[in-house]
Amino acid sequence: MIWNTIGSRHLPEKVSVSDDEDAMMKDADHRTAVSGALGQDGPSPPHRRVLHVDMDAFYASVEQRDNPELRGKPVAVGGSAARGVVAAASYEARIFGVRSALPAVTAKRLCPELIFVKPRFDVYRAVSAQIREIFAEHTDSIEPLSLDEAYLDVTTNKQNIAVATEIATIIRARIKEVTGLNASAGISYCKFLAKLASDLNKPNGQAVITPKMGPGFVASLPVKKFHGVGPATAAKMERLGIETGADLRDKPLSFLQEHFGKAGGWYYRISRGIDDRPVQPDRPRKSVGAEDTFAVDIFELGPAKAELAPLAAKVWRYCEGRRIRGKTVTLKVKYADFQIITRSRTIHGRVRDEKELLDIAGALLEATFPTPKGIRLLGITLSSLLTESDEDEPQLSFPL
């Protein structure tokens, strides 16, 4: 299999130019040596090919597909009420600065012509299932990250296509044919860089980052653009004089471990373009949660506890449908000033039913009262998940 990108035979797109197989092999040998020097268990597979396929403005694009009157117009999927939040924005809306997680009032101010559409998650899940079937035409090594994106390992593939970029092009064309939607793709030798590559030529494009290009690409990138580096970590890195991948690479492993703990080793490796994480098909879900933002702040315990009931019901309905249970209940509280607190309890055994889930969440909520400020949002999450066939392991119960 080779890296060379090719012109699309299926749809107009933007692609980057990569290097030939000889250069790739030499660089793979170099990565193997570096990996061994870092004390990892073994060398990176020299021929690994990873795709990151990401749907373009997925929720909003589905709405524009299904309603021709929305096409070419700024669309936001989410609640338009005073305390609504944008779940997704079309590219026409993004021009005005509208993006996901933006409060509805802010989005309207940025784009007065913005059209709000209520989400239809049943439709999004159905389209996502169609896309997953297209992935499965090429490989079973699929790691979904959400309804609209996934990693694929196409090192070996069902259609024996020798060029990784051709697989990406075919997949994107097939998605367009079946769903009417555009997808972008990143192609690289590891998950970290494949995800970064998928953003380079959005929308409706693809890009390649080869092993030879990887370290230099990472070096030039601001650390705040790294997947997994959030605003708080980026700010901490900046205080430590780390603003780019090159700055991160200049720091010794001991320094990064001192300031970032276990994550220090991860930052050390990715700053050198090294990521040996495998693509994990059917990765186990770690938690199930639901939350709600209220139109009016809540100050009293009674009304607050009443809002927990539909959240517990939603979480439990998901668990029942997938025959999973959990041990840890976490309550999330967001106050009117946007301060967020969480409280958790882990029980011995499993949460047995919806009532027990609600009771634990209610007890956690009671411990936060009386409250000096109004509650804007409440959420319930169940984690430490097990299938019904799993054996219970002894686990400590932590008091409030």
Side-chain angles (χ1 to χ4, degrees):
M1 183 177 289
I2 60 176
W3 283 98
N4 291 351
T5 56
I6 59 174
S8 172
R9 298 193 298 265
H10 305 275
L11 64 156
E13 63 175 331
K14 296 160 282 186
V15 297
S16 65
V17 179
S18 62
D19 302 279
D20 60 23
E21 185 166 4
D22 182 60
M24 180 274 291
M25 287 297 292
K26 290 178 181 177
D27 195 69
D29 291 341
H30 171 70
R31 286 196 309 113
T32 298
V34 173
S35 179
L38 291 174
Q40 298 174 349
D41 292 336
S44 304
H47 295 287
R48 198 155 68 115
R49 300 292 184 275
V50 178
L51 308 184
H52 178 254
V53 181
D54 191 11
M55 300 302 297
D56 297 330
F58 181 52
Y59 297 169
S61 294
V62 171
E63 299 303 333
Q64 290 178 317
R65 180 197 68 175
D66 294 348
N67 184 353
E69 294 183 1
L70 298 177
R71 295 173 190 171
K73 297 178 181 179
V75 174
V77 176
S80 60
R83 294 198 171 181
V85 175
V86 175
S90 69
Y91 282 98
E92 295 87 351
R94 295 183 190 188
I95 294 172
F96 296 90
V98 179
R99 51 178 173 74
S100 61
L102 198 69
V105 290
T106 305
K108 288 179 181 178
R109 187 170 64 250
L110 292 171
C111 181
E113 303 300 317
L114 188 64
I115 302 170
F116 275 89
V117 180
K118 290 183 178 179
R120 300 181 297 153
F121 288 106
D122 56 336
V123 176
Y124 308 149
R125 281 191 287 268
V127 177
S128 181
Q130 290 179 297
I131 296 167
R132 176 71 180 261
E133 289 177 359
I134 293 169
F135 294 160
E137 294 172 3
H138 295 269
T139 179
D140 292 325
S141 187
I142 305 164
E143 181 180 331
L145 301 179
S146 62
L147 292 178
D148 62 342
E149 61 175 321
Y151 291 115
L152 289 73
D153 190 326
V154 295
T155 307
T156 58
N157 59 87
K158 296 178 180 179
Q159 299 187 28
N160 296 317
I161 298 173
V163 184
T165 49
E166 184 175 355
I167 298 172
T169 301
I170 292 171
I171 286 174
R172 292 175 46 239
R174 181 79 172 131
I175 289 173
K176 183 71 172 181
E177 176 188 355
V178 172
T179 71
L181 303 172
N182 290 329
S184 294
I187 306 101
S188 194
Y189 58 89
C190 66
K191 288 160 61 171
F192 176 71
L193 288 173
K195 186 169 178 66
L196 290 174
S198 67
D199 277 335
L200 294 179
N201 284 326
K202 268 186 169 287
N204 193 28
Q206 64 186 57
V208 180
I209 301 175
T210 68
K212 183 176 181 180
M213 298 159 58
F217 178 85
V218 174
S220 64
L221 201 67
V223 290
K224 63 184 179 182
K225 297 287 188 181
F226 285 19
H227 176 61
V229 175
T233 301
K236 181 177 180 179
M237 287 184 173
E238 186 175 353
R239 291 194 298 270
L240 295 169
I242 302 171
E243 296 187 7
T244 67
D247 296 331
L248 190 61
R249 187 176 58 195
D250 287 343
K251 300 297 182 183
L253 177 60
S254 58
F255 176 91
L256 295 176
Q257 289 176 329
E258 176 186 351
H259 291 280
F260 300 102
K262 290 182 179 179
W266 164 247
Y267 298 144
Y268 186 84
R269 289 190 294 275
I270 61 173
S271 70
R272 288 157 174 78
I274 297 171
D275 174 14
D276 291 332
R277 294 174 303 158
V279 172
Q280 296 180 295
D282 300 315
R283 183 179 58 176
R285 186 162 186 157
K286 295 181 179 180
S287 64
V288 180
E291 60 184 38
D292 192 17
T293 300
F294 312 122
V296 179
D297 293 339
I298 297 175
F299 290 87
E300 302 296 328
L301 178 60
K305 291 187 75 171
E307 296 292 348
L308 292 180
L311 299 178
K314 186 174 183 179
V315 170
W316 197 254
R317 191 161 55 246
Y318 182 94
C319 293
E320 284 281 272
R322 288 155 182 80
R323 302 178 67 85
I324 55 177
R325 296 292 183 265
K327 297 184 175 187
T328 301
V329 179
T330 300
L331 174 77
K332 175 182 176 180
V333 181
K334 180 188 287 186
Y335 293 105
D337 61 359
F338 290 89
Q339 179 194 6
I340 297 175
I341 64 168
T342 58
R343 299 290 184 267
S344 298
R345 175 180 287 175
T346 298
I347 67 170
H348 182 79
R350 309 174 185 182
V351 175
R352 295 165 296 182
D353 51 34
E354 181 181 327
K355 181 180 182 301
E356 184 175 18
L357 175 64
L358 181 59
D359 287 346
I360 294 172
L364 293 168
L365 180 63
E366 288 178 12
T368 69
F369 274 81
T371 176
K373 47 193 174 183
I375 295 174
R376 176 186 177 92
L377 172 149
L378 287 172
I380 297 175
T381 298
L382 185 64
S383 57
S384 302
L385 300 180
L386 303 163
T387 63
E388 289 187 348
S389 61
D390 288 333
E391 293 287 337
D392 274 341
E393 295 290 338
Q395 192 161 356
L396 294 175
S397 179
F398 296 97
L400 290 170

